PDB file of all heavy atoms in Angstrom:
ATOM      1  N   GLU A 262       1.788  -2.309  36.184  1.00 93.00           N
ATOM      2  CA  GLU A 262       1.588  -1.282  37.212  1.00 93.00           C
ATOM      3  C   GLU A 262       2.514  -0.085  36.988  1.00 93.00           C
ATOM      4  O   GLU A 262       2.118   1.067  37.163  1.00 93.00           O
ATOM      5  CB  GLU A 262       1.823  -1.869  38.603  1.00 93.00           C
ATOM      6  CG  GLU A 262       0.748  -2.855  39.044  1.00 93.00           C
ATOM      7  CD  GLU A 262       1.125  -3.591  40.321  1.00 93.00           C
ATOM      8  OE1 GLU A 262       2.309  -3.470  40.753  1.00 93.00           O
ATOM      9  OE2 GLU A 262       0.268  -4.305  40.871  1.00 93.00           O
ATOM     10  N   ARG A 263       3.762  -0.389  36.595  1.00 91.00           N
ATOM     11  CA  ARG A 263       4.710   0.694  36.356  1.00 91.00           C
ATOM     12  C   ARG A 263       4.268   1.559  35.181  1.00 91.00           C
ATOM     13  O   ARG A 263       4.434   2.788  35.208  1.00 91.00           O
ATOM     14  CB  ARG A 263       6.109   0.132  36.099  1.00 91.00           C
ATOM     15  CG  ARG A 263       7.184   1.206  35.908  1.00 91.00           C
ATOM     16  CD  ARG A 263       7.231   2.158  37.086  1.00 91.00           C
ATOM     17  NE  ARG A 263       8.257   3.178  36.914  1.00 91.00           N
ATOM     18  CZ  ARG A 263       8.269   4.322  37.578  1.00 91.00           C
ATOM     19  NH1 ARG A 263       7.325   4.600  38.466  1.00 91.00           N
ATOM     20  NH2 ARG A 263       9.239   5.194  37.368  1.00 91.00           N
ATOM     21  N   SER A 264       3.695   0.946  34.164  1.00 87.00           N
ATOM     22  CA  SER A 264       3.154   1.710  33.043  1.00 87.00           C
ATOM     23  C   SER A 264       2.036   2.626  33.519  1.00 87.00           C
ATOM     24  O   SER A 264       1.947   3.794  33.123  1.00 87.00           O
ATOM     25  CB  SER A 264       2.631   0.765  31.952  1.00 87.00           C
ATOM     26  OG  SER A 264       2.096   1.487  30.866  1.00 87.00           O
ATOM     27  N   GLU A 265       1.185   2.109  34.402  1.00 89.00           N
ATOM     28  CA  GLU A 265       0.100   2.918  34.962  1.00 89.00           C
ATOM     29  C   GLU A 265       0.657   4.059  35.810  1.00 89.00           C
ATOM     30  O   GLU A 265       0.152   5.191  35.765  1.00 89.00           O
ATOM     31  CB  GLU A 265      -0.825   2.033  35.804  1.00 89.00           C
ATOM     32  CG  GLU A 265      -1.593   0.999  34.972  1.00 89.00           C
ATOM     33  CD  GLU A 265      -2.273  -0.058  35.831  1.00 89.00           C
ATOM     34  OE1 GLU A 265      -1.960  -0.130  37.046  1.00 89.00           O
ATOM     35  OE2 GLU A 265      -3.104  -0.810  35.293  1.00 89.00           O
ATOM     36  N   GLU A 266       1.713   3.777  36.583  1.00 89.00           N
ATOM     37  CA  GLU A 266       2.343   4.809  37.412  1.00 89.00           C
ATOM     38  C   GLU A 266       2.944   5.912  36.556  1.00 89.00           C
ATOM     39  O   GLU A 266       2.808   7.104  36.862  1.00 89.00           O
ATOM     40  CB  GLU A 266       3.433   4.176  38.280  1.00 89.00           C
ATOM     41  CG  GLU A 266       2.902   3.274  39.390  1.00 89.00           C
ATOM     42  CD  GLU A 266       3.991   2.420  40.018  1.00 89.00           C
ATOM     43  OE1 GLU A 266       5.164   2.563  39.630  1.00 89.00           O
ATOM     44  OE2 GLU A 266       3.656   1.604  40.900  1.00 89.00           O
ATOM     45  N   LEU A 267       3.620   5.507  35.479  1.00 82.00           N
ATOM     46  CA  LEU A 267       4.215   6.495  34.584  1.00 82.00           C
ATOM     47  C   LEU A 267       3.145   7.378  33.956  1.00 82.00           C
ATOM     48  O   LEU A 267       3.317   8.589  33.818  1.00 82.00           O
ATOM     49  CB  LEU A 267       5.019   5.789  33.485  1.00 82.00           C
ATOM     50  CG  LEU A 267       6.339   5.157  33.924  1.00 82.00           C
ATOM     51  CD1 LEU A 267       6.912   4.302  32.802  1.00 82.00           C
ATOM     52  CD2 LEU A 267       7.343   6.234  34.326  1.00 82.00           C
ATOM     53  N   LYS A 268       2.021   6.761  33.610  1.00 82.00           N
ATOM     54  CA  LYS A 268       0.919   7.523  33.011  1.00 82.00           C
ATOM     55  C   LYS A 268       0.405   8.576  33.985  1.00 82.00           C
ATOM     56  O   LYS A 268       0.195   9.735  33.614  1.00 82.00           O
ATOM     57  CB  LYS A 268      -0.202   6.557  32.610  1.00 82.00           C
ATOM     58  CG  LYS A 268      -1.350   7.213  31.849  1.00 82.00           C
ATOM     59  CD  LYS A 268      -2.248   6.154  31.238  1.00 82.00           C
ATOM     60  CE  LYS A 268      -2.844   5.245  32.285  1.00 82.00           C
ATOM     61  NZ  LYS A 268      -3.703   4.202  31.709  1.00 82.00           N
ATOM     62  N   SER A 269       0.225   8.194  35.244  1.00 83.00           N
ATOM     63  CA  SER A 269      -0.231   9.148  36.261  1.00 83.00           C
ATOM     64  C   SER A 269       0.805  10.240  36.504  1.00 83.00           C
ATOM     65  O   SER A 269       0.472  11.415  36.637  1.00 83.00           O
ATOM     66  CB  SER A 269      -0.522   8.416  37.575  1.00 83.00           C
ATOM     67  OG  SER A 269      -1.558   7.487  37.420  1.00 83.00           O
ATOM     68  N   MET A 270       2.079   9.835  36.537  1.00 81.00           N
ATOM     69  CA  MET A 270       3.148  10.788  36.785  1.00 81.00           C
ATOM     70  C   MET A 270       3.223  11.830  35.678  1.00 81.00           C
ATOM     71  O   MET A 270       3.299  13.032  35.943  1.00 81.00           O
ATOM     72  CB  MET A 270       4.492  10.064  36.884  1.00 81.00           C
ATOM     73  CG  MET A 270       5.686  10.968  37.146  1.00 81.00           C
ATOM     74  SD  MET A 270       7.232  10.035  37.206  1.00 81.00           S
ATOM     75  CE  MET A 270       7.436   9.634  35.449  1.00 81.00           C
ATOM     76  N   PHE A 271       3.160  11.383  34.424  1.00 73.00           N
ATOM     77  CA  PHE A 271       3.243  12.326  33.314  1.00 73.00           C
ATOM     78  C   PHE A 271       2.017  13.225  33.260  1.00 73.00           C
ATOM     79  O   PHE A 271       2.103  14.394  32.896  1.00 73.00           O
ATOM     80  CB  PHE A 271       3.414  11.573  32.001  1.00 73.00           C
ATOM     81  CG  PHE A 271       4.772  10.971  31.821  1.00 73.00           C
ATOM     82  CD1 PHE A 271       4.919   9.623  31.574  1.00 73.00           C
ATOM     83  CD2 PHE A 271       5.914  11.753  31.912  1.00 73.00           C
ATOM     84  CE1 PHE A 271       6.172   9.054  31.420  1.00 73.00           C
ATOM     85  CE2 PHE A 271       7.174  11.192  31.757  1.00 73.00           C
ATOM     86  CZ  PHE A 271       7.301   9.847  31.513  1.00 73.00           C
ATOM     87  N   SER A 272       0.863  12.672  33.635  1.00 71.00           N
ATOM     88  CA  SER A 272      -0.348  13.473  33.663  1.00 71.00           C
ATOM     89  C   SER A 272      -0.240  14.585  34.701  1.00 71.00           C
ATOM     90  O   SER A 272      -0.600  15.736  34.452  1.00 71.00           O
ATOM     91  CB  SER A 272      -1.558  12.583  33.967  1.00 71.00           C
ATOM     92  OG  SER A 272      -2.737  13.345  34.047  1.00 71.00           O
ATOM     93  N   GLU A 273       0.295  14.238  35.895  1.00 70.00           N
ATOM     94  CA  GLU A 273       0.475  15.235  36.956  1.00 70.00           C
ATOM     95  C   GLU A 273       1.502  16.295  36.546  1.00 70.00           C
ATOM     96  O   GLU A 273       1.330  17.481  36.808  1.00 70.00           O
ATOM     97  CB  GLU A 273       0.920  14.541  38.243  1.00 70.00           C
ATOM     98  CG  GLU A 273      -0.174  13.697  38.878  1.00 70.00           C
ATOM     99  CD  GLU A 273       0.337  12.855  40.028  1.00 70.00           C
ATOM    100  OE1 GLU A 273       1.545  12.986  40.359  1.00 70.00           O
ATOM    101  OE2 GLU A 273      -0.444  12.061  40.582  1.00 70.00           O
ATOM    102  N   GLU A 274       2.586  15.861  35.887  1.00 67.00           N
ATOM    103  CA  GLU A 274       3.595  16.804  35.435  1.00 67.00           C
ATOM    104  C   GLU A 274       3.019  17.775  34.406  1.00 67.00           C
ATOM    105  O   GLU A 274       3.365  18.952  34.385  1.00 67.00           O
ATOM    106  CB  GLU A 274       4.786  16.056  34.819  1.00 67.00           C
ATOM    107  CG  GLU A 274       5.672  15.389  35.854  1.00 67.00           C
ATOM    108  CD  GLU A 274       6.867  14.712  35.208  1.00 67.00           C
ATOM    109  OE1 GLU A 274       6.994  14.767  33.964  1.00 67.00           O
ATOM    110  OE2 GLU A 274       7.683  14.142  35.946  1.00 67.00           O
ATOM    111  N   LEU A 275       2.125  17.253  33.552  1.00 60.00           N
ATOM    112  CA  LEU A 275       1.517  18.116  32.543  1.00 60.00           C
ATOM    113  C   LEU A 275       0.658  19.195  33.188  1.00 60.00           C
ATOM    114  O   LEU A 275       0.683  20.360  32.767  1.00 60.00           O
ATOM    115  CB  LEU A 275       0.655  17.281  31.594  1.00 60.00           C
ATOM    116  CG  LEU A 275      -0.119  18.078  30.551  1.00 60.00           C
ATOM    117  CD1 LEU A 275       0.837  18.804  29.610  1.00 60.00           C
ATOM    118  CD2 LEU A 275      -1.069  17.191  29.771  1.00 60.00           C
ATOM    119  N   ILE A 276      -0.095  18.822  34.240  1.00 56.00           N
ATOM    120  CA  ILE A 276      -0.938  19.807  34.935  1.00 56.00           C
ATOM    121  C   ILE A 276      -0.052  20.908  35.484  1.00 56.00           C
ATOM    122  O   ILE A 276      -0.348  22.106  35.360  1.00 56.00           O
ATOM    123  CB  ILE A 276      -1.753  19.126  36.044  1.00 56.00           C
ATOM    124  CG1 ILE A 276      -2.798  18.179  35.439  1.00 56.00           C
ATOM    125  CG2 ILE A 276      -2.427  20.179  36.912  1.00 56.00           C
ATOM    126  CD1 ILE A 276      -3.496  17.311  36.457  1.00 56.00           C
TER     127      ILE A 276
END
Side-chain angles (χ1 to χ4, degrees):
E262 290 170 350
R263 183 56 180 160
S264 180
E265 293 168 348
E266 290 167 3
L267 287 171
K268 186 168 60 181
S269 297
M270 180 181 72
F271 287 124
S272 178
E273 290 171 3
E274 285 182 0
L275 176 63
I276 292 171

